[in-house]
Amino acid sequence: MAVKRDETHQDIAHNKVKIHYFHRSDSYHTTEVSNLPVLEGGQIKNPPTGFFDQIETDI
């Protein structure tokens, strides 16, 4: 993951990375936006249900 190492093998600080998760609310017909904090080492704190499921859908 790039948060751990970039192509020059330099660390990228986890607090310099922002991930915004967009989710459609079917009950209100709106889009909700959540900020997903990135922890040291590149892990995502409390990822929403289904966040990592896209690769399974693509396969």
Side-chain angles (χ1 to χ4, degrees):
M1 178 171 220
V3 172
K4 291 182 179 181
R5 286 268 160 229
D6 67 10
E7 64 276 353
T8 62
H9 304 288
Q10 300 288 321
D11 290 336
I12 299 172
H14 67 93
N15 59 353
K16 302 232 180 212
V17 176
K18 300 286 183 192
I19 298 176
H20 300 284
Y21 179 70
F22 295 81
H23 178 263
R24 177 151 174 91
S25 170
D26 292 329
S27 57
Y28 296 109
H29 302 290
T30 59
T31 300
E32 299 172 353
V33 182
S34 301
N35 179 19
L36 304 179
V38 178
L39 303 174
E40 193 170 339
Q43 296 173 321
I44 297 173
K45 182 178 181 179
N46 301 323
T49 302
F51 183 74
F52 290 108
D53 294 346
Q54 185 60 46
I55 194 161
E56 292 176 15
T57 301
D58 291 345
I59 291 174

